Amino acid sequence: MRNPWKRAALALFTGVCALTLTGCSSSFGDYDVSGYFQALLDSSYKNQNENYMTVAATTEEDAQQNNVTTVQNAAVNFCNTYSISPSDEQLAQIEEVMQQMLAQANYLVKDEQKVETGYYLEVEIDPIVNFSDIDDEIQKLRSEAKEEASQANEESSSSQEEEDSYLSGEEYDPWAEEETSEEEETQLESSQTQEDGDTYVDANDLFVEKVVEFCQQQTSSIRYSGQPITISLDIRQTDQGELQLDTNQLDTIDRTVLQFQS
């Protein structure tokens, strides 16, 4: 079953969120913003939740959701970037790969600076680039899958025709051609898919299987760009002392930590 609707998960990272930090005075002057973001990123990428549970005064279950959402969004971003349509099982395998990759995220949260509107914070990231600009590799896998599926289905069809001819007592002529309309060919292919589903090879399924295998191989040798990128965060503080962050900035961090396009 395909999951195009899963792409809606990206909506989780839009809008503005309120940051809940503990250990603040009534004058709103001693927020440990850098400590909070260090804990948040550790929770989101490395699934290390103890510090986040403390600074955000939340449960372990809620803290773990940071990692779940980040991993799911990474898988969706990857599939969207390279036009991949996985099944439920294949998507789960891609998510597992993304979780392993994100656990090796390389980032440095610098000390916050108090500014007139709230806080200014920088996060320095050395991007993971195993999946960055791999369009040629993806296209190669897509072409291989299409060719292999086509060949397998032709062989299966030929074998079936031979068997049907033998059972009917008719002589099988492999060179015989029968003119069919495009609509009839489509119906025939659909019928074959349904009736011989155990032997029919779906090109897209084979393609995604190849992509999953490629991704799994990448986890054994994670590569970084070696050129750190600095992401600036503008954290606004309301008159009531509440800290607010445009979560598009978090999405920018996510897409930098694990790059799909340079």
Side-chain angles (χ1 to χ4, degrees):
M1 178 179 179
R2 305 294 164 200
N3 286 288
W5 58 267
K6 279 245 181 183
R7 300 179 184 184
L10 293 174
L12 295 172
F13 270 147
T14 62
V16 176
C17 73
L19 309 180
T20 304
L21 292 79
T22 61
C24 310
S25 69
S26 58
S27 62
F28 317 126
D30 59 354
Y31 281 112
D32 181 11
V33 176
S34 61
Y36 174 86
F37 273 93
Q38 182 69 52
L40 174 62
L41 298 185
D42 289 346
S43 174
S44 298
Y45 302 133
K46 304 177 184 295
N47 203 23
Q48 298 174 355
N49 299 310
E50 185 174 348
N51 288 341
Y52 182 79
M53 290 166 58
T54 299
V55 299
T58 191
T59 64
E60 183 175 3
E61 181 179 2
D62 287 343
Q64 288 177 338
Q65 190 60 39
N66 290 326
N67 182 254
V68 171
T69 301
T70 303
V71 167
Q72 288 178 340
N73 283 349
V76 169
N77 283 335
F78 175 77
C79 291
N80 286 351
T81 299
Y82 296 111
S83 300
I84 299 168
S85 299
S87 65
D88 286 341
E89 182 179 356
Q90 291 166 335
L91 181 60
Q93 291 176 312
I94 294 174
E95 288 177 354
E96 184 177 348
V97 169
M98 296 303 152
Q99 186 175 48
Q100 294 179 52
M101 302 294 281
L102 289 170
Q104 303 301 316
N106 188 350
Y107 51 87
L108 173 66
V109 179
K110 299 184 179 181
D111 292 338
E112 75 272 8
Q113 300 177 30
K114 190 72 173 71
V115 295
E116 184 177 351
T117 57
Y119 290 88
Y120 172 81
L121 183 68
E122 291 184 345
V123 180
E124 187 177 277
I125 302 166
D126 192 356
I128 296 173
V129 295
N130 292 67
F131 301 136
S132 179
D133 298 323
I134 57 172
D135 303 81
D136 290 344
E137 180 66 31
I138 294 296
Q139 184 57 43
K140 176 184 176 182
L141 296 178
R142 195 186 301 275
S143 297
E144 288 178 357
K146 183 177 180 181
E147 181 177 346
E148 291 175 16
S150 178
Q151 181 177 353
N153 292 330
E154 286 178 2
E155 292 175 354
S156 176
S157 176
S158 177
S159 297
Q160 185 63 42
E161 288 177 5
E162 289 181 6
E163 181 179 350
D164 292 344
S165 177
Y166 175 78
L167 293 175
S168 65
E170 298 176 358
E171 182 179 355
Y172 173 67
D173 183 359
W175 304 106
E177 294 185 358
E178 180 181 353
E179 293 186 1
T180 57
S181 67
E182 183 175 346
E183 181 178 357
E184 289 174 332
E185 289 179 351
T186 302
Q187 291 175 346
L188 181 61
E189 181 179 350
S190 176
S191 175
Q192 180 186 2
T193 302
Q194 295 173 0
E195 295 177 6
D196 301 321
D198 55 335
T199 58
Y200 180 78
V201 178
D202 183 275
N204 181 73
D205 282 342
L206 182 57
F207 162 62
V208 180
E209 287 175 8
K210 288 177 175 290
V211 170
V212 170
E213 183 179 1
F214 167 78
C215 290
Q216 291 171 337
Q217 292 172 348
Q218 298 304 305
T219 62
S220 63
S221 181
I222 296 179
R223 294 180 287 108
Y224 301 90
S225 72
Q227 299 179 336
I229 297 175
T230 299
I231 306 298
S232 301
L233 300 179
D234 180 22
I235 304 162
R236 300 301 177 93
Q237 187 171 22
T238 68
D239 293 338
Q240 291 73 37
E242 180 183 69
L243 298 184
Q244 295 182 336
L245 173 70
D246 181 349
T247 51
N248 286 319
Q249 297 178 78
L250 293 179
D251 185 52
T252 299
I253 294 178
D254 289 345
R255 293 173 183 270
T256 304
V257 164
L258 182 55
Q259 280 191 351
F260 302 134
Q261 293 178 323
S262 60

